[in-house]
């Protein structure tokens, strides 16, 4: 449909050509949000106006996570925000997988791996585990 913002070209979007831009050097830190930019693209890789395009976001291997909040700019570009919180499930993991799909099809490069840097949270957890193990052995 036509509008003040131009013609909606969602029908031209090819999921495998869409792109996700993750800030260089981005890492998940406890409670900090990473912002990413998804761009709808056509068969030729050209950005297209695709108001209301539904991006499906899933963050796996992350323990406690906000899998993704999408803010549609109504022009084929969407901001995607995700936040990870430390949990024992990720104590040994190296990073999270961020899956981005359109219509059930992965966009170019999906899933994306984003490293963890849980620093003091992981160290604190490891020291609590060691103390618990030591206390358990002392009780025997």
């Amino acid at each position: 449909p036509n509008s003040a913002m131009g013609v909606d070209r969602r029908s031209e979007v090819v999921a495998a050509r869409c792109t996700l831009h993750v800030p260089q050097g981005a890492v998940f830190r406890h409670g900090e949000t990473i912002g990413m930019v998804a761009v709808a693209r056509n068969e030729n890789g050209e950005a297209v106006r695709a108001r209301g395009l539904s991006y499906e976001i899933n963050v796996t291997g992350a323990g406690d996570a906000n899998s993704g909040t999408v803010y549609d700019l109504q022009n084929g570009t969407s901001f995607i925000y995700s936040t990870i919180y430390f949990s024992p499930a990720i104590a040994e993991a190296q990073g999270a997988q961020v899956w981005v799909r359109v219509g059930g099809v992965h966009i170019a490069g999906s899933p994306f791996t984003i490293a963890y840097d849980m620093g003091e949270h992981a160290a604190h957890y490891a020291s609590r585990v060691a103390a618990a193990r030591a206390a358990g052995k002392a009780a025997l």
Side-chain angles (χ1 to χ4, degrees):
N2 289 318
S3 73
M5 293 182 71
V7 176
D8 181 359
R9 297 170 45 197
R10 272 184 289 186
S11 63
E12 296 177 31
V13 174
V14 176
R17 295 293 207 168
C18 296
T19 54
L20 183 72
H21 302 278
V22 178
Q24 185 173 359
V27 295
F28 279 119
R29 291 183 178 88
H30 176 76
E32 293 182 15
T33 300
I34 291 181
M36 300 163 268
V37 178
V39 179
R41 299 192 180 276
N42 65 15
E43 182 62 40
N44 297 322
E46 301 163 330
V48 296
R49 180 179 305 277
R51 295 184 314 275
L53 184 64
S54 179
Y55 289 97
E56 303 152 21
I57 313 301
N58 190 25
V59 179
T60 63
D64 296 328
N66 167 343
S67 285
T69 302
V70 179
Y71 181 74
D72 184 356
L73 295 180
Q74 302 291 307
N75 65 0
T77 302
S78 293
F79 290 132
I80 300 171
Y81 301 96
S82 187
T83 307
I84 301 289
Y85 298 93
F86 180 79
S87 76
I90 64 171
E92 301 298 322
Q94 298 299 308
Q97 296 289 310
V98 179
W99 300 52
V100 182
R101 292 175 285 228
V102 172
V105 177
H106 284 278
I107 69 170
S110 178
F112 305 87
T113 299
I114 299 179
Y116 293 130
D117 179 3
M118 294 296 167
E120 66 186 60
H121 297 284
H124 180 66
Y125 172 74
S127 68
R128 288 188 352 241
V129 168
R133 285 186 180 139
K137 288 181 183 176
L140 294 177

